[in-house]
Amino acid sequence: QKEVEQNSGPLSVPEGAIASLNCTYSDRGSQSFFWYRQYSGKSPELIMFIYSNGDKEDGRFTAQLNKASQYVSLLIRDSQPSDSATYLCAVKGGDSSYKLIFGSGTRLLVRP
Amino acid sequence: SAVISQKPSRDICQRGTSLTIQCQVDSQVTMMFWYRQQPGQSLTLIATANQGSEATYESGFVIDKFPISRPNLTFSTLTVSNMSPEDSSIYLCSVLTGGQETQYFGPGTRLLVL
């Protein structure tokens, strides 16, 4: 069974620090990787996606992918209290479907 | 990204009844999906809504319990049938627009079954 694993947290960081969120996946054939942010009581909001090994930066967010280690991470620089949310890692498999498999999410708390 | 709406936004239902959830998109999309998020849990895919044909259900979900319709490229419904308290969840539709691999989610329907 294909799995996506995340530490449930909470991960607590002070305002202005770098928050590092990690995700591992079991399907070596996975091709696409997504990070969603979900505020309490809201639906998931896409933050970033990454397809290739290495880093991808978008503003304060950097996604990192290492397919050999089956590991994807999200770095949030200059963390703000408004970044406090649950971050969901999602993986699309290597098959022809568009199904996403979600991790259980990491809860991030940014302390003012 | 597409603008997605869902109706109702929330509901409280009695066990044994059924509820139909609507998902409307402001533009034509290639694929639509229905997810469930149980309290404190992550998202689980229920089915892929196929336009003009029967939905494709994931393991553990069946058409009799979760009938789905998708009459056109902008609209889909999910019915939760013969509800029990275990069906209390957030139900989310998501869409995949043409040429992209990214899914965008609707605001969700919060269902409580008593």
Side-chain angles (χ1 to χ4, degrees):
Chain A
Q1 183 175 351
K2 299 175 184 177
E3 295 182 342
V4 178
E5 300 285 343
Q6 292 182 259
N7 188 317
S8 62
L11 172 66
S12 181
V13 300
E15 184 174 355
I18 296 175
S20 178
L21 305 162
N22 304 315
C23 172
T24 60
Y25 58 94
S26 63
D27 181 8
R28 188 169 288 278
S30 298
Q31 295 294 321
S32 309
F33 307 86
F34 305 85
W35 283 99
Y36 287 85
R37 177 175 63 198
Q38 187 173 28
Y39 292 112
S40 180
K42 302 294 185 181
S43 64
E45 171 193 9
L46 180 69
I47 298 176
M48 291 193 71
F49 58 89
I50 186 168
Y51 303 143
S52 304
N53 275 328
D55 295 358
K56 179 181 179 182
E57 186 174 319
D58 184 359
R60 295 187 296 115
F61 299 97
T62 299
Q64 299 176 319
L65 175 61
N66 184 326
K67 289 187 177 181
S69 299
Q70 296 175 242
Y71 175 96
V72 58
S73 64
L74 179 69
L75 302 178
I76 306 175
R77 290 182 299 281
D78 188 23
S79 296
Q80 301 297 310
S82 59
D83 294 326
S84 298
T86 297
Y87 289 80
L88 301 168
C89 173
V91 176
K92 175 184 171 302
D95 57 19
S96 59
S97 78
Y98 288 92
K99 296 189 298 186
L100 292 181
I101 299 173
F102 282 83
S104 57
T106 298
R107 185 171 162 228
L108 173 66
L109 295 176
V110 181
R111 308 187 304 271
Chain B
S1 61
V3 176
I4 308 166
S5 61
Q6 284 186 235
K7 290 181 182 180
S9 59
R10 60 180 67 240
D11 208 342
I12 300 174
C13 300
Q14 297 298 317
R15 71 170 66 212
T17 63
S18 298
L19 176 71
T20 295
I21 302 168
Q22 299 179 3
C23 178
Q24 179 74 56
V25 192
D26 70 340
S27 59
Q28 294 185 347
V29 295
T30 53
M31 302 188 76
M32 298 179 77
F33 306 89
W34 286 99
Y35 288 82
R36 180 175 73 182
Q37 187 173 30
Q38 294 179 302
Q41 304 294 315
S42 190
L43 281 74
T44 301
L45 180 63
I46 298 172
T48 302
N50 300 309
Q51 193 259 330
S53 64
E54 193 171 288
T56 304
Y57 290 85
E58 297 302 305
S59 176
F61 298 96
V62 295
I63 187 171
D64 290 346
K65 176 67 176 177
F66 297 102
I68 288 171
S69 77
R70 189 181 173 193
N72 56 51
L73 294 177
T74 64
F75 184 78
S76 178
T77 66
L78 167 75
T79 298
V80 186
S81 303
N82 188 24
M83 288 183 285
S84 67
E86 292 72 32
D87 294 319
S88 297
S89 288
I90 300 172
Y91 291 86
L92 296 144
C93 71
S94 76
V95 304
L96 193 69
T97 55
Q100 299 183 19
E101 286 200 332
T102 49
Q103 289 188 28
Y104 297 93
F105 286 86
T109 296
R110 286 149 186 79
L111 171 63
L112 176 63
V113 184
L114 301 177

